[in-house]
Amino acid sequence: MSFLQVQKNIKKGILSPLYLFYGTETFLIEETIHKLINKVLTEDQYDFNLSTYEAKETPISVAIEEAQTIPFMGSHRVVIVKEAQFLTGKDQSKVEHDLKELEAYVLNPISETVFVIVAPYEKLDERKKIVKLLKSHSEVLDAAPFSDHEMEKWLDERVKKYGVQITKDGREQLVQLLGNNLVMIAGEIEKLALYVGDGGVIDDVIVEKLVSKTMEQDVFSLVDHVIHRRKQQALQVFYDLIKQKEEPIKLLALLARQFRILYQVKELTNRGYSQQNIAGALKLHPYVVKLATQQAKQFDEKKLLSFLDEIAETDYKIKTGKIDKQLGLELFIIRVLGV
């Protein structure tokens, strides 16, 4: 079930006695847990009816025993089991879990208890009986990175909470600046909403003006300026990064990553991959792939490979003391710009 649908059900009071939250977007998982707890319990019931366990440290049987305990001073109890590595193929914890007991509970959960199992991993071991049972007998949240469409819906829902709207250009600018970092996006939306006020509209100009740029975004801008031969802007971004005391070797590594993405996107595009498939193969946000596709059109594969070779050579010269690190990075940028 989608993140938005799970949250809608919780808001309406349509609750399940059993939940499975898995996936790498931990922000979505934590936010959903928070909404679930607040829907089921009042704040003064937390001490009596809310229990959280780490599966890496505590046997699942302890959590099940808690789930089977009658709620105290309330109608429901919430039991949360985090870091459930036993649902994956790589359980590195030293705790032994009685999965037979958990299987029995899944088939007959306690109606007065909301039992939540959290596995913040990309994949579960679908061959395991307990995984199959949980997926068929619980409400499942797959907290995978959003697609373009899902990100759009999530952003629209997010701004609606604050009584404001966001334009298409505003959404795209926000994602370009912050990527798929949902924690940062959520924080920036709150700030932007306060700025435009109730009933206001967040557009790309306001996003550009107010949203804090990450170093990765500055590097993205640097690459974009280099690609489009905007010499003055490219060098200005570079000098600004140096003034901020950013480490040249780290900047070089980020430049290498960005050019590598451009090469990979171009290569996969030439093989007939869709942008969505490329995003999945490279584990990138679809919007990042969209921008990289546009940038990659400016170069052929041979040129991109030559840039990567130059970065490797520059990195070698810096680390062996043959050239000053700031000078080495600056010379590389100038060569790529063709100044």
Side-chain angles (χ1 to χ4, degrees), residues 111-331:
S111 59
E112 291 80 14
T113 296
V114 175
F115 194 89
V116 184
I117 297 180
V118 181
Y121 316 110
E122 185 177 0
K123 292 181 180 178
L124 305 183
D125 190 343
E126 303 287 344
R127 299 167 299 178
K128 291 187 174 183
K129 182 179 178 182
I130 185 58
V131 173
K132 294 176 182 176
L133 282 174
L134 281 168
K135 285 199 167 185
S136 60
H137 289 79
S138 64
E139 188 154 320
V140 180
L141 167 63
D142 180 2
F146 287 146
S147 65
D148 273 348
H149 179 64
E150 288 170 332
M151 177 64 86
E152 182 179 322
K153 287 184 67 177
W154 181 75
L155 283 170
D156 285 342
E157 288 288 328
R158 200 88 198 171
V159 299
K160 197 184 296 181
K161 282 175 48 180
Y162 300 101
V164 301
Q165 296 179 327
I166 188 167
T167 65
K168 179 177 182 293
D169 289 341
R171 283 196 303 264
E172 291 191 350
Q173 183 70 4
L174 196 57
V175 175
Q176 180 179 333
L177 288 171
L178 301 176
N180 59 350
N181 189 324
L182 299 183
V183 176
M184 290 186 67
I185 290 175
E188 292 297 335
I189 285 175
E190 183 175 4
K191 181 174 76 178
L192 291 165
L194 286 170
Y195 178 81
V196 299
D198 190 42
V201 177
I202 301 168
D203 60 20
D204 58 319
V205 176
I206 291 171
V207 171
E208 178 66 29
K209 179 181 178 180
L210 294 183
V211 171
S212 305
K213 293 181 178 65
T214 63
M215 184 174 66
E216 287 79 4
Q217 174 56 31
D218 283 331
V219 170
F220 180 89
S221 297
L222 175 60
V223 171
D224 194 58
H225 290 320
V226 167
I227 285 169
H228 293 96
R229 296 294 189 268
R230 296 190 287 261
K231 300 173 185 177
Q232 185 176 345
Q233 294 96 321
L235 289 171
Q236 186 60 56
V237 172
F238 167 70
Y239 295 136
D240 286 345
L241 285 165
I242 295 302
K243 283 180 185 175
Q244 294 166 27
K245 301 191 183 302
E246 297 294 355
E247 176 57 49
I249 292 176
K250 185 176 181 180
L251 294 176
L252 194 63
L254 288 169
L255 281 170
R257 178 180 182 274
Q258 192 60 40
F259 279 116
R260 194 176 299 113
I261 287 172
L262 295 186
Y263 175 77
Q264 291 170 328
V265 166
K266 191 170 189 71
E267 179 68 21
L268 292 175
T269 299
N270 291 341
R271 292 185 192 178
Y273 280 58
S274 68
Q275 288 186 13
Q276 195 66 40
N277 288 337
I278 293 173
L282 301 181
K283 302 189 186 307
L284 296 171
H285 191 277
Y287 188 67
V288 173
V289 173
K290 178 182 176 181
L291 293 175
T293 302
Q294 296 168 357
Q295 288 184 330
K297 291 177 182 176
Q298 306 296 320
F299 301 107
D300 58 30
E301 292 93 329
K302 188 178 292 186
K303 178 61 73 174
L304 289 169
L305 283 175
S306 74
F307 289 158
L308 288 169
D309 286 341
E310 282 198 53
I311 288 174
E313 180 67 19
T314 301
D315 183 66
Y316 172 77
K317 287 180 178 179
I318 290 172
K319 290 178 178 176
T320 55
K322 294 182 178 179
I323 192 170
D324 174 76
K325 55 188 178 181
Q326 181 177 328
L327 177 61
L329 178 56
E330 187 172 3
L331 288 174

